[in-house]
Structure formats: C-alpha cells, structure tokens
Amino acid sequence: MSKIIYTHTDEAPLLATYSLLPLIEAYAKKAGVEFETRDISLAGRILAQFPERLTEEQRIGDALAELGDLANDPSANIIKLPNISASTPQLKAAVAELQELGFDVPNVPEDPQSEDEKDIAARYDKVKGSAVNPVLRQGNSDRRAPGAVKAYAKAHPHRMGDWAADSKTRVATMGENDFFSNEKSYISPADDTLRIELVGEDGSTTVLKEKLPVLAGEVIDGTFMSAKALDAFLEGAIAEAKDDGVLFSAHLKATMMKVSDPIIFGHVVKTFFAPVFEKYGADLAAAGLSANDGLGAIYAGLAALPNGSAIKAAFDEQIAAGPELAMVNSDKGITGLHVPSDVIIDASMPAMIRIGGHMWGPDGGEADTLAVIPDSSYAGIYQATIEDCKQNGKLDPATMGTVPNVGLMAQKAEEYGSHDKTFEIPQAGTVRVVNGAGETIFDHEVDEGDIWRACQTKDAPIRDWVKLAVTRARLSGTPAVFWLDANRAHDANLIQKIEEYLPEHDTEGLDLHIMAPAEATRFSLARIRQGLDTISVTGNVLRDYNTDLFPILEVGTSAKMLSIVPLMAGGGLFETGAGGSAPKHVQQLLEEDYLRWDSLGEFFALAASFEHLAQTTDNAKAQVLATTLDAATAAFLENDRSPGRKLGTIDNRGSHFYLGLYWAQKLAEQTDDAELAAAFAPLAATLAENEKTIVDELIAVQGTSVEVGGYYRPDDAKADAVMRPSATLNTAISQF
C-alpha cells in the first residue's frame, strides 16, 4: 500500500475532514493507497506537551515532531490543512476547554517565576503561533491559482467594491525607528555558534540567547522597533483618523508573529485608551488583565474587580471620544481591538481593498479606513495597491491576470517572527550579537520596552528558492520578480546570493527582475490589468501576504489555491489553502447546522498528492486517481457545486457529495485502467440514481443548532454524526 498522511487540524477544516476523509479513503483504497491521520491541532499540540499529567488513555504522541522527521524523508507525502496559529487568548481558551473535558493540563502562566512555571511556559511557547509551519515546511513554496479556478473566476466574477478617486483610505506606517529601518544583516563565513546578549547601561550583561547555531553562508538578521517611536506614531495615527473622519484599524500578525505583534497590539490598545490605562492601569495589571490580549479579555475580567463597572465606563467613554473603530462584528460590538488574532493583516487588508477600501464601522456600514501597519517593511505593498485602485478603479476578475508565488520558507527561513529570538527589552543598553570568537557581528542601542528580534535564513534553502523560481519562470513562460529592496539589509544580502546562484541555471530567454516590494506591486498590478501573469518570488512573510492579497482579488479567496511544497529531501507537502473565516464558519455550523467552508483547496492538494505518489512509487492507479480527480474538480466548478451562501442550498457536505459523484463518474468513464473503471461504475450509478435523496437528506438537517462536543477538540462520534447526515450516502460509501 502507498501511503498519504492527512493532517487532523482545527475549526472548519477539521469539521470538513469528518465528511470528506471517509469518501477519499474509500476511493483511494481501490488504487492501493491508504491514508493515515496525524493530529496537529492546537488541542493535540497542547496534549502532546504534557504526557506526564494525563492518563494512559488520554496521552497522544507528538504528531508534529513525527511529521517534522517525516518531512526530511524522501518518501514523505503529507496533505496539510489549515491549523490554528494560536494567539494567547486562543491558547488560553483551548486549555480551558481541555480542562473541562477532563484533561489535567496546566493553566498558561501569566508571569512565570518558579522553575516549574517557566517550564510550563516554555512548553506552551512551542504550541503558540506558527508552531506547525516551520516544522513541516522543509521545502520552498510553489503556490498558484489552478487553471480551473481561474477560469471559473473569469466566467463567474465575484463582486468587487467600487473605488472613489477621493477615497480617504490609506496606510499609515512608521518608516523610521521600526524593524525595517533598524535592520542589520550578516552572512556567516563559517559554521559558528552565536550569542545574543544585552549589555545594560549599568554595565550588567544579560544573555538573551546563549547558543544560536549557524551554518556557513547563513544570513542572520537583527533589528528592533522603538517603543517610544511606536507610541508617538500611534498617537499621531489616532489623531489623523479622528481628523479625517475615517475608521481606525490596526493590521498585524499576532498569530504567526507570536512574540512581537501581540506586544505591538498591546501598544495600540494602550495608546488608544491612554486615559483609561493612566487611571486604571495598575488595577488591570494587578488583576492580570493585559492590553496585549485585547479588549475582549479585559472586559471578561472586569466583573471580578470591585471597580470593574467604572473601568468599563471609562473604556466606553474613550471609544466615544476617539475615532470610530473598524469592527469585526458590529452587531455584537466587537471592535478590531477586542482580540489580537481577529484582524490578521494578510486577510484583512486584501478584504478591505476588495470591497473598495472599506471596513465595517460601528453602525454596520462600510467606511473609509486608516489602515495602521506600524512596521514599514511591507506596508508599501498595500499602499501601492490602494493608490492603483484610486487611480484606475477596481480590478476586474473577469479579465485580470494572475500573480503566482515562489516563496522562500524552507528550514525556517526568515522564521516568521523569530519566536525564540524576539525580546521585549527590560532595560536600556546595547543588544549585541557575538560570534564564537567573542567578536560583535552587529549591535543595537535600545531602550526599555523596545522590541528586538533576529531571524535566520540558511544558504541551502536560498539556493533551492532561486532554482524553483527559474524552473517556474521557464515552465510558465512569464516574468518572475524577486521582491527585494536593496535598501534593506536582509534583502541586500539575498540579492547578493541571487546574483551568485542565478548563473548556475539556464536563464536565457527568461524575464527575471529584482524590485523593491512597492515597485514590484505596481509592476504586477499594471500587468494584471492587461490580463498578464507575473510570478512573485518572495521571502517567507511576503509569501504569506502575497498568497492572500492576489488570490483574494483574483478569485475571491485564498482557500482555492494550489500550494505545493517540494520538500528538499525529495518528498512532497501539499497545502490546502488559508484558514480565513474558519471561526465564523464553525459558529454558523453550531447555530444552524450549515458549514460554508469550501474544500476546493483540499481537492487540488489531493490530486497533486496522488500525482506525486504515482511518480515516486510507480503506482499507475494513483495517477488515474489524480487525473480523474482534476477532471471531477473541473466539473464541480462548471456546475457550481461549491457551498452556497444561505440555508436551503448545499453546504460543505453537499459539495463533498458532488465531488464524489463526479469523481466516480470520471473514474468509471476513463480508459487507462479497466479494473478501476469497472470498480467505480456501480458506485457512479448508485450516486447518480440517489442524487435527489442524498441532497434532500443533507439539506433536511439545516436550520437547527448542533453540538460537536468541543470547539478545539470535538468529540469524534458527535462530529461524525453532524458532518455525515445522509444515511444513503454513508451506505453507498461503506458498501463500496
């Protein structure tokens, strides 16, 4: 049997798995392919950290570590669904749920002091933020809109909001004393072990990171954001939003950038509500209520304070006095400052641009917005897009080209916030990065409260990234642009390496460019408007931003992208799209038994996975599965079988049925494998004959609330019952 690993993740993608996986397991088995699941959900990751506190029945293995090892095996074939990159509030909520379910996991320490608390905090740090992706992504990213998706978007263009030439929407960013402007970069001449230390003004030395192993040719960066400059910038931005009469919105990445961005988010909250924190800050701190966790966590804790109602009134007064806040849910009064993980820049900015530069205000209507992106490293790509739309109007999905991406991310390249190398500086002094010989390779003068961080990018992934970019440019026949700014220290070193490695490849006839991100944005948008395609070749963070920005504008969502990670060891990792509005989808399922999650990304990843399996294991039947699945997906799109937008239409479960129907039909009709055709012909007939019955059974359950046994750790039996409500379909699959 050939084997594919299918990841067990979180929220809507996990619920969809209960419906989809039994179907694809049954189909694949006929081709000698078996599926195994690995639990990399937030709850699963938490439980794996504390085996000594659990009963034997409760213990689970460390699936993430296991998959990390597998990613370095040439035989790896992993389908990776979106998972929660946990912010602190999400982590605490998951812990509370697990405790309610009878798992003896400890509380998340607020301010770890004892060795035991520090150990617990260190274990939870392994769970937070982008805990999964750096482990699994042992290759660089090749992400693009499949031809069938692009064709569907052109034939059925999604709604795009009109842009007014006099729109007040714009990006506000620091531009100085931020991560971009303070960055220093170094290429290690040999294998070495670095040390990061803080030399205080009082002469004391605090080791921030004792050992930082690096390899020859590795790029090491360090930078910091000034807390004083940040607060001054935020004060100005709040005043500007008030004066301009636009919404105030902060756009960060408090999930992936799990150390730096929650701190920056806390600065936003404290600055917006400066009078409240000046008067009641000590009370909030004593109660363990942190601005870094957002207004929602603070409000939830006020009931326990004797002056809680007075503090709440002070917050309300400041909301009324300040600029109007962009809302996450205006009906429920949830602002963009309620939860740090509610407004994630790579999803929120494209959505704002797509609807004409608007976000939702307190009155439930759309309004122009001041988009506050403190660090200027990539803020320019969004400002350039906004300027383009103001000048040229909204983009047209029916005619626009596409911007696929080749992303540098292998072996923790650029490390997504450099979690283990990010520090909130405890005292003024100098942060030094010192090599094994005791020499300072670079340093920064910092003040108390500044946010200092470093990251690493190994040489082998950079070389592989250049190779992948050349390969994609050759295969697609389109220009490829390296989005790098020669005025940024890290980018300057990458440009040096690109110029070294490009001559290793045949680049004759290729149209290759190096442009700063804002310039590359303008270049790509100009081509998009002409219906032309342009490959964006980017680092890790921009990979994430671009693979949301352009797909959301082009095809309406980033969840429908084909995301292939050719692992450097020879295996394959196939990703299924972004999580996006997964939490809202779960809420709707629980309230109405209706799941709007679109599994199209899973279909594309599955076909690519089968194809890779066929090539690496010489399994011809797996190739038939891949070919027919692609054909079935095309039929799925042509017949508009994605989940509907309202009750009474098919939801995620209905879309899975139609994929199964079309796939069985394509398998029965194909002529490459008579055995498979004969095996699937009866199933295709059964599903076609019972189409109305199955659809009726799937729709009949809609409209009532359901229970799945847990948000972060659903009960398998309950979730299975909810997600497989058609007895007719279940019988057909089980008998097959």
PDB file of all heavy atoms in Angstrom, residues 388 521-532:
ATOM      1  N   ASP A 388      -3.185  52.364  -6.685  1.00  0.00           N
ATOM      2  CA  ASP A 388      -3.543  51.865  -8.013  1.00  0.00           C
ATOM      3  C   ASP A 388      -5.062  51.844  -8.192  1.00  0.00           C
ATOM      4  O   ASP A 388      -5.574  52.226  -9.257  1.00  0.00           O
ATOM      5  CB  ASP A 388      -2.966  50.462  -8.208  1.00  0.00           C
ATOM      6  CG  ASP A 388      -3.347  49.854  -9.542  1.00  0.00           C
ATOM      7  OD1 ASP A 388      -2.626  50.071 -10.517  1.00  0.00           O
ATOM      8  OD2 ASP A 388      -4.392  49.165  -9.604  1.00  0.00           O
ATOM      9  N   THR A 521       4.872  45.587  -6.673  1.00  0.00           N
ATOM     10  CA  THR A 521       3.404  45.610  -6.616  1.00  0.00           C
ATOM     11  C   THR A 521       2.843  46.384  -7.796  1.00  0.00           C
ATOM     12  O   THR A 521       1.920  45.920  -8.485  1.00  0.00           O
ATOM     13  CB  THR A 521       2.931  46.253  -5.297  1.00  0.00           C
ATOM     14  OG1 THR A 521       3.502  45.564  -4.193  1.00  0.00           O
ATOM     15  CG2 THR A 521       1.414  46.211  -5.190  1.00  0.00           C
ATOM     16  N   ARG A 522       3.391  47.578  -8.032  1.00  0.00           N
ATOM     17  CA  ARG A 522       2.899  48.403  -9.143  1.00  0.00           C
ATOM     18  C   ARG A 522       3.123  47.711 -10.491  1.00  0.00           C
ATOM     19  O   ARG A 522       2.243  47.720 -11.367  1.00  0.00           O
ATOM     20  CB  ARG A 522       3.592  49.776  -9.114  1.00  0.00           C
ATOM     21  CG  ARG A 522       3.151  50.654  -7.951  1.00  0.00           C
ATOM     22  CD  ARG A 522       3.720  52.067  -8.060  1.00  0.00           C
ATOM     23  NE  ARG A 522       5.133  52.102  -7.717  1.00  0.00           N
ATOM     24  CZ  ARG A 522       5.608  52.331  -6.495  1.00  0.00           C
ATOM     25  NH1 ARG A 522       4.765  52.535  -5.480  1.00  0.00           N
ATOM     26  NH2 ARG A 522       6.907  52.379  -6.272  1.00  0.00           N
ATOM     27  N   PHE A 523       4.272  47.091 -10.646  1.00  0.00           N
ATOM     28  CA  PHE A 523       4.591  46.362 -11.883  1.00  0.00           C
ATOM     29  C   PHE A 523       3.597  45.225 -12.106  1.00  0.00           C
ATOM     30  O   PHE A 523       3.056  45.051 -13.211  1.00  0.00           O
ATOM     31  CB  PHE A 523       6.015  45.823 -11.778  1.00  0.00           C
ATOM     32  CG  PHE A 523       6.470  45.010 -12.953  1.00  0.00           C
ATOM     33  CD1 PHE A 523       6.901  45.618 -14.120  1.00  0.00           C
ATOM     34  CD2 PHE A 523       6.495  43.617 -12.886  1.00  0.00           C
ATOM     35  CE1 PHE A 523       7.343  44.864 -15.205  1.00  0.00           C
ATOM     36  CE2 PHE A 523       6.931  42.853 -13.961  1.00  0.00           C
ATOM     37  CZ  PHE A 523       7.351  43.482 -15.126  1.00  0.00           C
ATOM     38  N   SER A 524       3.322  44.457 -11.060  1.00  0.00           N
ATOM     39  CA  SER A 524       2.429  43.300 -11.171  1.00  0.00           C
ATOM     40  C   SER A 524       0.989  43.739 -11.409  1.00  0.00           C
ATOM     41  O   SER A 524       0.260  43.114 -12.198  1.00  0.00           O
ATOM     42  CB  SER A 524       2.531  42.444  -9.905  1.00  0.00           C
ATOM     43  OG  SER A 524       3.857  41.997  -9.700  1.00  0.00           O
ATOM     44  N   LEU A 525       0.561  44.814 -10.747  1.00  0.00           N
ATOM     45  CA  LEU A 525      -0.809  45.296 -10.934  1.00  0.00           C
ATOM     46  C   LEU A 525      -1.012  45.835 -12.346  1.00  0.00           C
ATOM     47  O   LEU A 525      -2.080  45.630 -12.951  1.00  0.00           O
ATOM     48  CB  LEU A 525      -1.132  46.375  -9.902  1.00  0.00           C
ATOM     49  CG  LEU A 525      -1.342  45.883  -8.465  1.00  0.00           C
ATOM     50  CD1 LEU A 525      -1.427  47.064  -7.502  1.00  0.00           C
ATOM     51  CD2 LEU A 525      -2.599  45.032  -8.357  1.00  0.00           C
ATOM     52  N   ALA A 526      -0.008  46.514 -12.879  1.00  0.00           N
ATOM     53  CA  ALA A 526      -0.126  47.014 -14.257  1.00  0.00           C
ATOM     54  C   ALA A 526      -0.300  45.854 -15.230  1.00  0.00           C
ATOM     55  O   ALA A 526      -1.107  45.923 -16.168  1.00  0.00           O
ATOM     56  CB  ALA A 526       1.112  47.844 -14.614  1.00  0.00           C
ATOM     57  N   ARG A 527       0.438  44.771 -15.007  1.00  0.00           N
ATOM     58  CA  ARG A 527       0.312  43.604 -15.870  1.00  0.00           C
ATOM     59  C   ARG A 527      -1.026  42.896 -15.644  1.00  0.00           C
ATOM     60  O   ARG A 527      -1.661  42.440 -16.605  1.00  0.00           O
ATOM     61  CB  ARG A 527       1.483  42.651 -15.626  1.00  0.00           C
ATOM     62  CG  ARG A 527       2.816  43.190 -16.156  1.00  0.00           C
ATOM     63  CD  ARG A 527       3.961  42.226 -15.868  1.00  0.00           C
ATOM     64  NE  ARG A 527       3.708  40.885 -16.382  1.00  0.00           N
ATOM     65  CZ  ARG A 527       3.908  40.504 -17.643  1.00  0.00           C
ATOM     66  NH1 ARG A 527       4.372  41.371 -18.522  1.00  0.00           N
ATOM     67  NH2 ARG A 527       3.652  39.261 -18.016  1.00  0.00           N
ATOM     68  N   ILE A 528      -1.448  42.790 -14.388  1.00  0.00           N
ATOM     69  CA  ILE A 528      -2.734  42.148 -14.094  1.00  0.00           C
ATOM     70  C   ILE A 528      -3.858  42.827 -14.869  1.00  0.00           C
ATOM     71  O   ILE A 528      -4.747  42.173 -15.417  1.00  0.00           O
ATOM     72  CB  ILE A 528      -3.025  42.214 -12.572  1.00  0.00           C
ATOM     73  CG1 ILE A 528      -2.451  40.991 -11.861  1.00  0.00           C
ATOM     74  CG2 ILE A 528      -4.520  42.278 -12.292  1.00  0.00           C
ATOM     75  CD1 ILE A 528      -2.755  40.962 -10.384  1.00  0.00           C
ATOM     76  N   ARG A 529      -3.824  44.151 -14.886  1.00  0.00           N
ATOM     77  CA  ARG A 529      -4.900  44.889 -15.561  1.00  0.00           C
ATOM     78  C   ARG A 529      -4.887  44.665 -17.073  1.00  0.00           C
ATOM     79  O   ARG A 529      -5.891  44.882 -17.739  1.00  0.00           O
ATOM     80  CB  ARG A 529      -4.796  46.383 -15.236  1.00  0.00           C
ATOM     81  CG  ARG A 529      -5.160  46.708 -13.784  1.00  0.00           C
ATOM     82  CD  ARG A 529      -5.165  48.203 -13.516  1.00  0.00           C
ATOM     83  NE  ARG A 529      -5.518  48.511 -12.133  1.00  0.00           N
ATOM     84  CZ  ARG A 529      -6.757  48.617 -11.678  1.00  0.00           C
ATOM     85  NH1 ARG A 529      -7.782  48.459 -12.514  1.00  0.00           N
ATOM     86  NH2 ARG A 529      -6.988  48.900 -10.409  1.00  0.00           N
ATOM     87  N   GLN A 530      -3.746  44.205 -17.599  1.00  0.00           N
ATOM     88  CA  GLN A 530      -3.664  43.858 -19.023  1.00  0.00           C
ATOM     89  C   GLN A 530      -3.958  42.379 -19.268  1.00  0.00           C
ATOM     90  O   GLN A 530      -3.833  41.899 -20.395  1.00  0.00           O
ATOM     91  CB  GLN A 530      -2.255  44.177 -19.542  1.00  0.00           C
ATOM     92  CG  GLN A 530      -1.860  45.629 -19.437  1.00  0.00           C
ATOM     93  CD  GLN A 530      -0.391  45.833 -19.794  1.00  0.00           C
ATOM     94  OE1 GLN A 530       0.067  45.438 -20.870  1.00  0.00           O
ATOM     95  NE2 GLN A 530       0.362  46.436 -18.894  1.00  0.00           N
ATOM     96  N   GLY A 531      -4.316  41.663 -18.196  1.00  0.00           N
ATOM     97  CA  GLY A 531      -4.587  40.240 -18.327  1.00  0.00           C
ATOM     98  C   GLY A 531      -3.341  39.386 -18.349  1.00  0.00           C
ATOM     99  O   GLY A 531      -3.392  38.215 -18.751  1.00  0.00           O
ATOM    100  N   LEU A 532      -2.207  39.956 -17.911  1.00  0.00           N
ATOM    101  CA  LEU A 532      -0.927  39.255 -17.968  1.00  0.00           C
ATOM    102  C   LEU A 532      -0.536  38.704 -16.596  1.00  0.00           C
ATOM    103  O   LEU A 532      -0.932  39.240 -15.563  1.00  0.00           O
ATOM    104  CB  LEU A 532       0.164  40.204 -18.477  1.00  0.00           C
ATOM    105  CG  LEU A 532      -0.090  40.821 -19.857  1.00  0.00           C
ATOM    106  CD1 LEU A 532       0.988  41.861 -20.177  1.00  0.00           C
ATOM    107  CD2 LEU A 532      -0.135  39.734 -20.930  1.00  0.00           C
TER     108      LEU A 532
END
